[in-house]
């Protein structure tokens, strides 16, 4: 299995956090809140599309709402494959970070 | 929450267009939701700003991805285009070649048309500059007479009387003046005497020096860059001296940038108008003479008709002495936009020979016809080839290509052809341009920067060409039903050949009309060239006289020249028979005293009529045998007698107003009409006046008739005699036939250009026909083989193949000949003397085109009809 890229990881986590309410606007806000990154919608769609194509996420259509000018929400949710990849990413993270204390950073900061 | 707000439609479209294809309109909902949130919190404006910013932000993220998919698509299109080019090399080359010729012709013709239309537009205020033209009824007694010049007095009143006239420029102009620089004399022209407003109205720039200098000191002069370069190469001429006609010194105070070639008048020297008074003692505030050119700069909101009327009231206010004069003179003024002078004005006393708007119409029509012919080639060959490509299209459709995609692909292919042809044409046009400019004697060269201005025009041209050439083939080819095509194939004749044949018919109709026009125009020019002008132009040399002292010794000069046996006769006259454009007032007994009539005239000596072989229908020539001639004698031409309603045999008198007094003289003879102006014009009334015994006889020309023999030796002799008598003046001669021919030079140039482009159009149409011929014969190879096996002769088969084309061309003839007849009759209507349109011209045009077409296709049909049927049938 391929390793997730950082931005894929963040997006998938955002979707996971949002649960049933993950669509364009909320995903963008969540990413901003979690990682302090602001992405343009255009870039977001490109990335989300890649996630869907790679099989990490799938999308389904919601109901149209008036504040969206009668357009429907496009919801995203994780696939099993996506959840698995997140798990792998987490394991990978903890294994490569193992044994490195916070002190190490404090020293270099000086 | 308020009612939801919507972002503007255009922004929404823009965004939709930028976003990747896989996002649908629902994605826009995200944008709209945030838009609404911001609108609620911070107002509509900031929401809108945010929305627009999003559009910009989206571009870099998305285009990258989009580009990759586009590139792969284009790669595929290109591949197919190249393959189809390789498979159909002949047709594709014909297409490209035709397009290149068509576009190149179009570019060259448009550049010329643009040059002509741009005349005088370089003036910053060109939109608001008008020339005042004068119409004076008294000048012709019966007909009114319209002039490009006006009364000097009028221009002085304009600014005081009419606040809407912001500035009023006027100038006098001298051609043929003698300037001396460091003791060397030359004849120059375009010597202008200007007033202070001149630079207010016109936008001429100085290279060095100030414009004001010539008004501060009237003996200052501004010269043009080209004059500075000619006489003071590499030097700064400012401060140096130029002598005018041996009488007055001007010192140079400035250099004027060269006047653009598309100005209706040129400037080489500029002095203050005060010099008209100083040098010539001329009244520059008079109502009694015409002579200066006046141009006014008007306020934006001026109503022209009204102003014309009010200007025309000025003579009544300041000039007419009483009511009868008012009634008879009836002077009126009209305003001509400066930008229309070059192409639309043909008055008396124009500064230079103007162009002709009709030529512009002819050229525009040709340029469009040539392009149309080239596009039709493309349409015909592309649809013809499509029958071969039917399988490709069928497969594409089966695999899932939509009709839109097929249309896109074919349009893309067309645009490759068009763009490549366009680029090559631009290069070729650039290479041809210098020659083309020199044929037309116009500087239509275009710099790279200027061509950038034309960029939008070029893009429009390319798009129009793509649509013209590509849209029909695209719609046609994409409409194939894959099932039928793949099963049965698509045959050459499957429908649409009606359209193909009508397109070919249109092409040839255009070509025939063009050929016909060229023939008629050619014959008309030849007719004018060969038409008897009524005077001899053979072996006559003319020399202009500027030396006033020589004028007094004219008889000495004549005697000296006549001594040599190679000189047959010598005559002095004010004008030459090829251009008697001077007019002067005449009055005859019985005419109201304060009226006069203006008529072309020439003062001549006794040898003039014989030297030029002019014929008399009544009366006698001027002669020494009749002493009364010295008191004044006239010879009129037939047209003058007719205009006056006089009987040629009757006895009449004329009063000739000269040197401030009327001289009365008898009319001693009537001259047969001869063409003393352009052949285009009806012969006007003319009078010759006997110069013998006239104290103020100031001949401007000496005509010398020489016998056979080497012309150079005689010229040396004449030159020596002239320099002997008038050493300060350069000897310059011309041969009268050259002078005559030069009047028709523009027409010859335009005729040559017209011929070239007509040939090109016929070649393009012929190539298209060749392509079709090759195609049909290829399609019918088998049919021909079988026919031959069954016993058809080669001749029968040729007839079969050529028959269709012949019918097309015959139909084209039937359409083109009446149309051509109508057009050419209209064109000939502009001429006073013209050829009769006879059947022969039409038949020859028809035969010419038919021959070209048959010769073009005959190689192909001959090959097919003589081929061994065994080869053709076994070729699969």
């Amino acid at each position: 299995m391929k390793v997730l890229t950082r931005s894929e990881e963040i997006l998938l986590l955002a979707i996971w956090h949002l649960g049933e309410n993950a669509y364009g606007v909320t995903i963008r806000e969540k990413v901003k809140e979690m990682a302090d990154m602001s992405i343009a919608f255009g870039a977001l769609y490109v990335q989300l599309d890649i996630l869907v194509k790679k099989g990490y996420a799938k999308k389904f259509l919601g109901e149209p709402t008036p504040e969206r000018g009668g357009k429907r929400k496009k919801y995203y949710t994780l696939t099993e494959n996506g959840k698995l990849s997140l798990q792998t990413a987490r394991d990978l993270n903890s294994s490569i970070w193992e044994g490195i204390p916070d002190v190490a950073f404090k020293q270099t900061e000086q | 929450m308020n009612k939801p707000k919507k972002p503007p439609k255009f922004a929404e479209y823009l965004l939709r267009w930028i976003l990747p294809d896989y996002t649908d309109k629902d994605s826009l909902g995200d944008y709209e939701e945030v838009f609404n949130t911001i609108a609620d919190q911070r107002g509509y404006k900031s929401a809108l700003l945010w929305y627009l910013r999003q559009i910009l932000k989206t571009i870099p993220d998305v285009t990258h991805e989009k580009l990759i998919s586009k590139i792969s698509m284009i790669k595929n299109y290109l591949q197919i285009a190249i393959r189809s080019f390789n498979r159909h090399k002949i047709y594709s080359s014909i297409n490209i070649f035709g397009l290149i010729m068509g576009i190149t012709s179009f570019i060259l013709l448009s550049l010329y048309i643009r040059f002509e239309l741009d005349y005088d537009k370089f003036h910053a205020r060109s939109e608001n500059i008008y020339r005042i033209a004068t119409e004076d009824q008294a000048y012709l007694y019966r007909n009114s007479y319209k002039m490009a010049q006006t009364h000097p007095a009028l221009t002085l009143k304009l600014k005081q009387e009419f606040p809407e006239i912001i500035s009023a420029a006027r100038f006098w102009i001298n051609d043929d003046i003698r300037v001396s620089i460091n003791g060397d004399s030359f004849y120059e022209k375009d010597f202008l005497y200007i007033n202070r407003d001149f630079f207010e109205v016109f936008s001429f720039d100085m290279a060095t020096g100030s414009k004001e200098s010539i008004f501060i000191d009237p003996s200052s002069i501004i010269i043009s860059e080209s004059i500075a370069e000619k006489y003071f190469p590499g030097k700064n001429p400012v401060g140096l001296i130029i002598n005018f006609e041996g009488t007055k010194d001007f010192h140079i105070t400035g250099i004027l940038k060269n006047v653009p070639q598309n100005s209706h008048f040129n400037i080489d020297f500029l002095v203050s108008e005060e010099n008209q008074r100083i040098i010539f003692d001329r009244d520059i505030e008079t109502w009694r003479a015409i002579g200066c050119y006046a141009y006014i700069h008007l306020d934006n909101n001026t109503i022209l008709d009204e102003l014309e009327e009010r200007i025309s009231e000025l003579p009544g206010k300041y000039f007419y002495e009483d009511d009868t004069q008012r009634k008879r003179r009836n002077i009126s003024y009209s305003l001509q936009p400066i930008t229309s002078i070059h192409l639309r004005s043909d008055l008396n006393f124009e500064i230079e020979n103007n162009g002709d708007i009709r030529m512009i119409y002819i050229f525009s029509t040709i340029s469009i016809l040539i392009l149309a012919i080239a596009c039709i080639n493309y349409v015909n060959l592309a649809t013809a080839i499509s029958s071969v490509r039917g399988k490709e299209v069928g497969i594409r459709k089966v695999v899932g290509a939509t009709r839109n995609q097929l249309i896109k692909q074919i349009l893309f292919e067309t645009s490759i052809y068009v763009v490549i042809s366009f680029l090559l044409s631009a290069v070729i046009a650039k290479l041809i341009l210098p020659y083309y400019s020199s044929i037309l004697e116009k500087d239509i060269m275009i710099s790279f920067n200027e061509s950038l201005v034309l960029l939008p025009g070029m893009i429009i041209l390319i798009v129009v060409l793509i649509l013209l050439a590509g849209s029909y083939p695209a719609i046609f080819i994409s409409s194939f039903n894959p099932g039928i095509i793949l099963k049965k194939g698509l045959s050459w004749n499957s429908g649409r050949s009606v359209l193909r044949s009508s397109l070919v018919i249109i092409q040839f109709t255009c070509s025939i009309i063009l050929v016909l026009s060229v023939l008629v125009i050619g014959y008309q020019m030849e007719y004018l060239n060969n038409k008897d002008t009524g005077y001899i132009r053979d072996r006559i040399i003319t020399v202009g006289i500027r030396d006033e002292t020589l004028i007094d010794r004219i008889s000495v000069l004549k005697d000296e020249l006549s001594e040599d046996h190679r000189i047959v006769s010598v005559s002095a006259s004010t004008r030459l028979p090829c251009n008697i454009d001077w007019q002067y007032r005449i009055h005859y007994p019985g005419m109201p005293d304060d009226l006069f009539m203006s008529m072309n005239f020439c003062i001549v000596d006794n040898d003039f009529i014989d030297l030029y072989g002019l014929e008399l229908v009544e009366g006698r020539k001027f002669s020494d045998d009749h002493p009364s001639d010295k008191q004044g004698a006239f010879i009129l031409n037939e047209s003058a007698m007719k205009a006056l309603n006089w009987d040629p045999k009757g006895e009449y008198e004329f009063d000739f107003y000269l040197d401030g007094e009327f001289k009365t003289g008898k009319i001693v003879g009537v001259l047969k009409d001869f063409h003393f102006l352009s052949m285009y014009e009806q012969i006007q009334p003319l009078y010759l006046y006997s110069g013998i015994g006239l104290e103020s006889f100031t001949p401007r020309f000496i005509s010398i008739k020489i016998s056979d023999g080497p012309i150079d030796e005689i010229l040396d002799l004449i030159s020596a005699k002239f320099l002997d008598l008038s050493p300060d003046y350069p000897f310059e001669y011309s041969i009268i036939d050259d002078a005559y021919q030069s009047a028709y030079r523009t027409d010859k140039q335009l005729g040559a250009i017209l011929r070239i482009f007509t040939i090109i159009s016929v070649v393009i149409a012929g190539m298209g026909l060749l392509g079709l011929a090759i195609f049909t014969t290829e399609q019918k190879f088998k049919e021909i083989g079988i026919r031959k096996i069954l016993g058809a002769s080669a001749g029968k088969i040729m007839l079969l193949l050529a028959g269709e084309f012949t019918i097309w061309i015959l139909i084209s003839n039937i359409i083109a000949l009446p149309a051509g007849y109508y057009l050419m009759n209209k064109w000939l209507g502009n001429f006073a003397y013209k050829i009769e349109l006879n059947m022969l011209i039409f038949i020859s045009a028809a035969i010419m085109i038919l021959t070209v077409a048959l010769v073009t296709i005959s190689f192909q049909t001959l090959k097919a009809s003589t081929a061994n049927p065994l080869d053709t049938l076994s070729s699969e």
Side-chain angles (χ1 to χ4, degrees):
Chain A
M1 181 180 286
K2 278 186 180 172
V3 180
L4 291 177
T5 66
R6 202 73 212 199
S7 53
E8 280 169 351
E9 194 180 331
I10 294 172
L11 276 181
L12 286 176
L13 280 172
I15 295 172
W16 184 79
H17 268 295
L18 289 163
E20 291 193 342
N21 195 28
Y23 67 100
V25 178
T26 51
I27 295 173
R28 185 166 165 270
E29 273 165 6
K30 195 77 195 168
V31 170
K32 171 106 182 144
E33 177 194 317
M34 279 166 42
D36 200 24
M37 273 163 56
S38 80
I39 352 173
F41 277 119
L44 187 65
Y45 296 142
V46 173
Q47 303 236 27
L48 286 173
D49 191 62
I50 293 170
L51 289 182
V52 172
K53 273 187 187 153
K54 285 188 174 171
Y56 297 138
K58 58 184 180 194
K59 64 177 170 184
F60 57 93
L61 288 173
E63 289 308 304
T65 64
E67 69 268 24
R68 292 173 65 84
K71 286 154 193 123
R72 299 197 285 187
K73 285 179 184 168
K74 268 198 285 189
Y75 288 109
Y76 290 83
T77 173
L78 297 189
T79 58
E80 282 310 308
N81 196 354
K83 284 177 190 160
L84 217 67
S85 304
L86 274 181
Q87 184 63 50
T88 323
R90 188 185 183 153
D91 292 349
L92 184 70
N93 262 348
S94 50
S95 85
I96 55 175
W97 281 94
E98 209 175 86
I100 297 177
D102 288 356
V103 190
F105 292 102
K106 279 176 186 155
Q107 277 172 348
T108 50
E109 272 170 15
Q110 283 170 353
Chain B
M1 199 170 138
N2 300 329
K3 197 173 163 262
K5 297 182 180 66
K6 284 193 90 52
K9 268 264 176 311
F10 83 91
E12 216 173 342
Y13 281 126
L14 201 61
L15 195 58
R16 180 90 191 82
W17 183 67
I18 292 167
L19 281 173
D21 295 334
Y22 50 76
T23 60
D24 42 32
K25 80 171 186 344
D26 290 323
S27 305
L28 292 178
D30 285 335
Y31 287 94
E32 212 166 319
E33 196 180 318
V34 178
F35 177 85
N36 264 307
T37 321
I38 298 175
D40 284 342
Q41 290 166 357
R42 283 179 282 160
Y44 185 81
K45 256 192 189 160
S46 35
L48 186 64
L49 270 175
W50 175 84
Y51 201 89
L52 294 175
R53 212 166 51 234
Q54 290 309 305
I55 296 177
L56 288 178
K57 271 190 173 169
T58 306
I59 294 172
D61 292 322
V62 175
T63 42
H64 170 70
E65 167 142 341
K66 229 182 173 178
L67 217 60
I68 288 173
S69 73
K70 277 265 150 64
I71 285 174
S72 60
M73 188 181 73
I74 288 173
K75 229 163 109 185
N76 175 271
Y77 285 173
L78 252 169
Q79 212 164 27
I80 305 251
I82 291 168
R83 275 184 206 155
S84 124
F85 182 91
N86 280 332
R87 197 170 308 149
H88 309 287
K89 274 200 187 95
I90 298 173
Y91 313 121
S92 312
S93 324
I94 288 178
N95 270 342
I96 291 233
F97 204 62
L99 281 174
I100 289 177
M101 290 218 285
I103 298 172
T104 310
S105 311
F106 185 84
I107 293 176
L108 290 176
L109 283 168
S110 330
L111 283 178
Y112 171 70
I113 293 168
R114 194 180 86 105
F115 181 85
E116 288 287 296
L117 292 178
D118 269 1
Y119 257 73
D120 296 304
K121 292 215 173 117
F122 62 90
H123 296 296
R125 292 169 280 268
S126 63
E127 303 274 298
N128 290 328
I129 303 177
Y130 294 84
R131 180 171 76 180
I132 300 182
T134 310
E135 192 168 350
D136 188 343
Q137 311 230 318
Y139 267 78
L140 256 186
Y141 189 36
R142 291 195 173 91
N143 301 340
S144 68
Y145 188 62
K146 212 168 172 187
M147 296 161 282
Q149 296 179 337
T150 192
H151 299 96
L154 177 80
T155 54
L156 297 176
K157 299 276 181 241
L158 289 173
K159 274 207 290 187
Q160 330 166 353
E161 298 273 335
F162 309 107
E164 59 265 52
I165 297 180
I166 298 166
S167 41
R170 65 171 183 176
F171 58 85
W172 282 260
I173 193 162
N174 262 166
D175 277 345
D176 254 356
I177 44 126
R178 184 173 59 109
V179 296
S180 312
I181 288 144
N182 300 330
D184 295 326
S185 298
F186 306 90
Y187 292 119
E188 285 296 345
K189 47 193 202 106
D190 304 320
F191 195 103
L192 270 69
Y193 308 76
I194 63 171
N195 70 344
R196 274 173 190 271
D197 272 3
F198 186 84
F199 286 113
E200 302 280 319
V201 173
F202 302 113
S203 309
F204 296 118
D205 294 323
M206 299 292 290
T208 49
S210 96
K211 297 167 177 174
E212 288 300 308
S213 58
I214 55 170
F215 301 112
I216 297 164
D217 174 7
S219 65
S220 306
I221 191 166
I222 292 173
I223 59 174
S224 69
E225 281 176 325
S226 56
I227 289 291
E229 185 52 35
K230 185 172 166 192
Y231 293 120
F232 311 100
K235 275 194 283 182
N236 178 12
V238 172
L240 300 178
I241 301 254
I242 284 185
N243 183 275
F244 174 87
E245 290 284 357
T247 53
K248 188 173 164 58
D249 277 344
F250 285 103
H251 56 264
I252 302 167
T253 53
I255 298 173
L256 188 78
K257 282 207 177 130
N258 279 338
V259 172
Q261 215 200 356
N262 54 3
S263 163
H264 76 281
F265 64 94
N266 183 37
I267 304 171
D268 274 338
F269 303 90
L270 279 180
V271 296
S272 153
E273 64 177 7
E274 279 303 309
N275 287 295
Q276 282 281 323
R277 212 196 310 260
I278 298 167
I279 301 174
F280 303 107
D281 194 23
R282 204 167 276 163
D283 182 2
I284 55 175
E285 291 169 15
T286 183
W287 280 105
R288 303 199 164 272
I290 280 279
C292 69
Y293 295 90
Y295 294 78
I296 51 179
H297 171 208
L298 290 182
D299 192 75
N300 267 330
N301 312 316
T302 313
I303 302 161
L304 286 183
D305 297 350
E306 207 180 278
L307 184 65
E308 276 176 351
E309 238 166 73
R310 282 158 63 212
I311 293 178
S312 300
E313 282 162 12
L314 288 187
K317 208 160 153 193
Y318 295 104
F319 174 41
Y320 303 138
E321 277 146 19
D322 52 40
D323 269 355
T324 43
Q325 200 183 19
R326 179 194 305 270
K327 227 162 105 192
R328 282 179 188 148
R329 287 301 295 270
N330 198 14
I331 297 171
S332 62
Y333 300 102
S334 52
L335 299 175
Q336 299 176 291
I338 188 171
T339 47
S340 80
I341 291 175
H342 175 66
L343 287 173
R344 295 169 196 274
S345 175
D346 187 19
L347 307 179
N348 294 292
F349 307 123
E350 291 283 353
I351 306 178
E352 281 174 14
N353 285 332
N354 285 335
D356 186 351
I357 188 78
R358 290 181 309 238
M359 268 300 170
I360 300 298
Y361 293 144
I362 292 180
F363 277 27
S364 331
T365 316
I366 292 179
S367 62
I368 290 165
L369 285 185
I370 290 183
L371 264 194
I373 291 175
C375 283
I376 289 177
N377 271 358
Y378 189 91
V379 172
N380 270 344
L381 289 178
T383 48
I385 292 170
S386 68
S387 50
V388 180
R389 287 179 73 176
K391 284 214 174 102
E392 174 202 324
V393 176
I395 296 282
R396 276 174 180 278
K397 277 201 164 175
V398 168
V399 171
T402 63
R403 191 166 177 190
N404 263 341
Q405 282 170 321
L406 283 170
I407 290 181
K408 260 193 211 165
Q409 184 215 327
I410 293 159
L411 280 180
F412 181 81
E413 231 178 279
T414 312
S415 37
I416 291 178
Y417 278 89
V418 171
V419 170
I420 289 178
S421 314
F422 187 87
L423 293 177
L424 286 174
S425 304
V427 173
I428 293 172
K430 180 88 189 157
L431 293 178
I432 296 178
L433 211 51
Y435 305 100
Y436 182 65
S437 301
S438 69
I439 295 178
L440 286 168
E441 292 181 337
K442 302 230 160 157
D443 184 21
I444 40 183
M445 307 290 285
I446 192 161
S447 69
F448 182 72
N449 284 344
E450 271 180 290
S451 55
L452 286 184
V453 180
L454 301 178
L455 208 61
M458 293 183 206
I459 290 170
I460 290 173
L461 175 67
I462 290 178
V463 171
V464 167
L465 280 178
I466 291 172
L467 290 180
L468 272 181
S471 53
Y472 179 72
I475 291 165
F476 172 60
I477 294 172
S478 63
S479 71
F480 293 163
N481 180 339
I484 295 173
I485 288 179
L486 292 175
K487 242 191 260 164
K488 297 183 185 163
L490 186 83
S491 84
W492 151 256
N493 280 325
S494 67
R496 315 293 169 173
S497 68
V498 175
L499 184 108
R500 194 173 305 132
S501 45
S502 29
L503 285 179
V504 174
I505 289 170
I506 292 174
Q507 271 185 316
F508 275 88
T509 307
C510 296
S511 300
I512 294 167
I513 292 178
L514 279 178
V515 169
L516 191 67
S517 327
V518 166
L519 284 179
V520 173
I521 292 172
Y523 280 130
Q524 171 68 13
M525 292 296 157
E526 203 181 298
Y527 168 79
L528 289 184
N529 258 329
N530 296 339
K531 188 174 186 333
D532 185 14
T533 48
Y535 60 91
I536 298 171
R537 299 203 304 273
D538 194 30
R539 297 195 79 79
I540 294 176
I541 287 165
T542 64
V543 184
I545 303 177
R546 276 90 166 185
D547 183 355
E548 300 287 330
T549 64
L550 187 63
I551 289 173
D552 297 336
R553 291 174 290 158
I554 235 51
S555 54
V556 181
L557 177 73
K558 280 181 72 176
D559 289 344
E560 290 244 332
L561 285 169
S562 307
E563 269 172 22
D564 195 278
H565 67 280
R566 287 169 299 184
I567 289 172
V568 182
S569 66
V570 184
S571 163
S573 55
T574 51
R575 305 303 288 159
L576 291 174
C578 59
N579 187 25
I580 305 183
D581 55 353
W582 284 6
Q583 295 201 332
Y584 209 72
R585 298 176 208 174
I586 217 85
H587 188 269
Y588 56 84
M591 196 172 171
D593 275 349
D594 62 329
L595 271 192
F596 36 82
M597 185 170 175
S598 199
M599 218 190 252
N600 293 63
F601 82 108
C602 185
I603 306 179
V604 302
D605 63 12
N606 291 350
D607 298 309
F608 186 81
I609 291 177
D610 277 337
L611 190 142
Y612 281 106
L614 301 178
E615 275 179 56
L616 285 169
V617 287
E618 285 296 333
R620 59 171 179 84
K621 302 166 202 160
F622 300 133
S623 157
D624 289 333
D625 304 339
H626 293 80
S628 62
D629 282 3
K630 290 195 174 162
Q631 268 74 56
F634 294 91
I635 294 179
L636 271 61
N637 71 351
E638 290 171 304
S639 298
M641 298 301 277
K642 216 174 286 165
L644 292 163
N645 265 333
W646 283 354
D647 173 18
K649 290 189 173 36
E651 281 190 17
Y652 301 96
E653 281 186 346
F654 253 7
D655 302 325
F656 186 32
Y657 185 80
L658 196 71
D659 300 334
E661 56 171 327
F662 279 108
K663 303 200 182 227
T664 305
K666 277 211 172 74
I667 289 163
V668 300
V670 177
L671 212 52
K672 196 168 170 226
D673 274 345
F674 68 98
H675 292 271
F676 58 88
L677 288 172
S678 155
M679 277 286 187
Y680 299 151
E681 289 169 48
Q682 192 76 38
I683 295 177
Q684 299 291 315
L686 170 82
Y687 65 89
L688 301 183
Y689 186 76
S690 167
I692 296 301
L694 192 65
E695 253 176 57
S696 60
F697 178 38
T698 49
R700 295 283 156 195
F701 294 96
I702 295 282
S703 309
I704 304 161
K705 170 122 181 119
I706 55 173
S707 62
D708 296 341
I711 203 160
D712 288 346
E713 282 175 32
I714 309 178
L715 274 176
D716 285 345
L717 171 91
I718 297 171
S719 158
K721 301 253 182 204
F722 265 91
L723 290 177
D724 191 31
L725 283 170
S726 141
D728 292 341
Y729 287 74
F731 173 75
E732 276 178 16
Y733 71 94
S734 66
I735 292 166
I736 194 150
D737 199 42
D738 292 348
Y740 171 78
Q741 299 290 353
S742 73
Y744 303 96
R745 194 147 147 186
T746 326
D747 295 300
K748 281 190 181 151
Q749 289 160 353
L750 296 181
I753 296 291
L754 198 65
R755 259 198 305 284
I756 292 169
F757 286 114
T758 302
I759 292 170
I760 288 176
S761 78
V762 174
V763 168
I764 300 175
M767 282 195 322
L769 198 64
L770 178 70
L772 281 184
I774 296 173
F775 189 80
T776 11
T777 41
E778 257 176 23
Q779 295 296 299
K780 290 184 177 172
F781 248 35
K782 286 224 174 103
E783 180 190 334
I784 294 165
I786 291 169
R787 276 175 192 273
K788 285 193 90 170
I789 284 176
L790 293 178
S793 67
K796 270 223 168 100
I797 284 168
M798 268 198 78
L799 208 67
L800 170 87
L801 289 172
E804 195 180 11
F805 295 115
T806 315
I807 289 171
W808 289 349
I809 291 177
L810 288 179
I811 295 175
S812 311
N813 272 318
I814 292 170
I815 302 169
L817 294 184
Y821 178 82
Y822 172 77
L823 288 174
M824 283 298 104
N825 230 355
K826 230 176 160 185
W827 182 75
L828 283 174
N830 299 319
F831 292 91
Y833 303 94
K834 59 193 172 206
I835 50 168
E836 284 297 314
L837 284 177
N838 59 28
M839 280 312 286
L840 210 66
I841 300 176
F842 289 85
I843 293 170
S844 49
I847 289 177
M848 236 158 103
I849 289 291
L850 194 61
T851 323
V852 167
L854 288 181
V855 167
T856 315
I857 59 174
S858 64
F859 292 109
Q860 203 49 40
T861 49
L862 201 69
K863 201 172 104 195
S865 55
T866 53
N868 186 344
L870 229 85
D871 296 336
T872 52
L873 286 176
S874 64
S875 66
E876 206 157 276

